[in-house]
Amino acid sequence: MNSVTVRVPAKVNLQLAVGPLRDDGYHDLVNVFHAVSIFDEVTATAETGMRVRVEGDSAGQVPEDDDNLAIRAASALARHAGRSYGVSLLIRKSIPVAGGMAGGSADAAAALVACNELWGLGLPLADLLEIGADIGSDVPFALLGGTAVGTGRGERLTPLEVGGTFHWVFALAEGGLSTPAVYAECDRIREATGTEAAWPQTSEPLLDALRRGDAKALGAELANDLQPAAVMLRRSLARTLDAGREHGALGAIVSGSGPTCAFLADSETHAVELAAALRAEGVARDAVTAHGPVPGPAVGQRP
Ligand code: C5P
């Protein structure tokens, strides 16, 4: 086998509760991750040395050097295996870059799965989860898919039961937001307003809505502590969120650290209509529909 292709989904955070800033610069979280049907594809081809090329939406914004998260993941996997393996990675991007949908983490997860296969390592998921957590807090979830709650930095995962499929619209923004900058803005707002960060707690009503597959109840429970910071850094998001609510979204939220906004629709048809309305109002670069939860990385082979 000299080539392996892995398709990997984006995520949206259904609940992102951000605790106090820790000594290591991270925040303790309760992070309910939900994988949705917007996919990147990573093809790993046997090669001497490590190379990466990026194609597709906003490819120019993704580094094609050692800073690329997929290359960092492949290198970490080779180190873990104790061998100097080589690989050429081709990333076909559809997940918005720096959009709050964990696109870079998804590419890292796909690279781990693809190289594990390509190099015939046969490492169990538990090993990939551990290597992934060192690459980024969202990489372990990207290896898992579905819906799961993450604690700690977001890397300690418990899969959640979900009683149905949810229909989403994602409003894609022009340009990205830096995740560290959004967390720093969240800390700044808390300090300026004298708000003590509470210890993050899982929302039981949200878990219950997920279990029952109840979109209306889920829409009412969506919550993101990073939202005020993302809106402060990108004021136009307030209008985007309002437009979604006006067009009947059951819930409207900034996805992770943004600037992508996520809207929960009450059916697939409603999602298509909502996306069209957001495009017509010009409140986003584009609006795309998706459903969730979807499974994690899927391996296929290219000739
Ligand atoms: O883990 P990752 O590299 O993806 O995190 C990017 C940045 O997001 C961190 O450097 C930190 O600023 C912020 N972050 C955080 N608390 C977390 C996860 C991420 O403050 N639990």
Side-chain angles (χ1 to χ4, degrees):
M1 187 199 316
N2 66 9
S3 194
V4 179
T5 293
V6 173
R7 195 176 80 143
V8 62
K11 63 85 182 158
V12 59
N13 306 85
L14 306 179
Q15 184 194 1
L16 184 45
V18 179
L21 178 63
R22 309 193 314 201
D23 290 343
D24 65 0
Y26 287 89
H27 299 74
D28 277 298
L29 306 177
V30 162
N31 194 346
V32 178
F33 294 101
H34 181 68
V36 294
S37 60
I38 299 174
F39 300 98
D40 280 0
E41 219 180 60
V42 176
T43 298
T45 306
E47 168 101 46
T48 51
M50 294 264 178
R51 280 200 289 159
V52 64
R53 199 154 58 79
V54 185
E55 283 180 357
D57 300 354
S58 315
Q61 297 169 36
V62 182
E64 289 183 318
D65 56 20
D66 291 350
D67 284 343
N68 186 290
L69 287 182
I71 280 288
R72 281 174 48 195
S75 302
L77 184 66
R79 265 196 314 279
H80 179 92
R83 294 271 301 273
S84 61
Y85 292 103
V87 68
S88 168
L89 297 172
L90 172 60
I91 304 174
R92 294 180 190 81
K93 285 216 72 72
S94 296
I95 304 175
V97 177
M101 298 193 78
S105 302
D107 299 343
L112 288 175
V113 172
C115 292
N116 190 33
E117 190 87 9
L118 181 74
W119 298 335
L121 301 176
L123 292 175
L125 179 62
D127 288 28
L128 302 187
L129 289 168
E130 207 170 294
I131 299 165
D134 284 341
I135 308 291
S137 309
D138 289 352
V139 178
F141 174 73
L143 284 161
L144 216 62
T147 305
V149 58
T151 54
R153 280 188 292 128
E155 85 286 16
R156 290 204 299 266
L157 294 167
T158 309
L160 293 174
E161 200 191 312
V162 176
T165 294
F166 297 101
H167 298 280
W168 297 92
V169 177
F170 293 95
L172 313 184
E174 207 65 68
L177 278 174
S178 143
T179 301
V182 175
Y183 273 99
E185 179 65 11
C186 175
D187 292 334
R188 191 197 65 76
I189 293 171
R190 284 173 170 179
E191 202 172 315
T193 56
T195 311
E196 189 91 21
W199 186 252
Q201 306 277 352
T202 314
S203 157
E204 286 305 325
L206 183 126
L207 298 193
D208 188 51
L210 280 171
R211 263 192 302 269
R212 289 187 289 109
D214 184 336
K216 197 154 182 253
L218 180 63
E221 293 301 331
L222 297 174
N224 179 1
D225 282 354
L226 290 181
Q227 184 159 312
V231 173
M232 191 60 95
L233 295 174
R234 189 70 67 83
R235 303 292 174 105
S236 60
L237 297 184
R239 193 169 149 237
T240 309
L241 291 167
D242 281 346
R245 290 186 197 106
E246 280 158 23
H247 289 281
L250 301 175
I253 199 170
V254 170
S255 178
S257 54
T260 306
C261 291
F263 303 95
L264 186 58
D266 66 6
S267 67
E268 193 173 355
T269 312
H270 179 219
V272 170
E273 289 165 3
L274 183 53
L278 292 172
R279 276 194 296 269
E281 293 217 1
V283 293
R285 169 170 67 84
D286 197 4
V288 298
T289 60
H291 62 270
V294 295
V299 182
Q301 279 175 37
R302 292 204 159 217

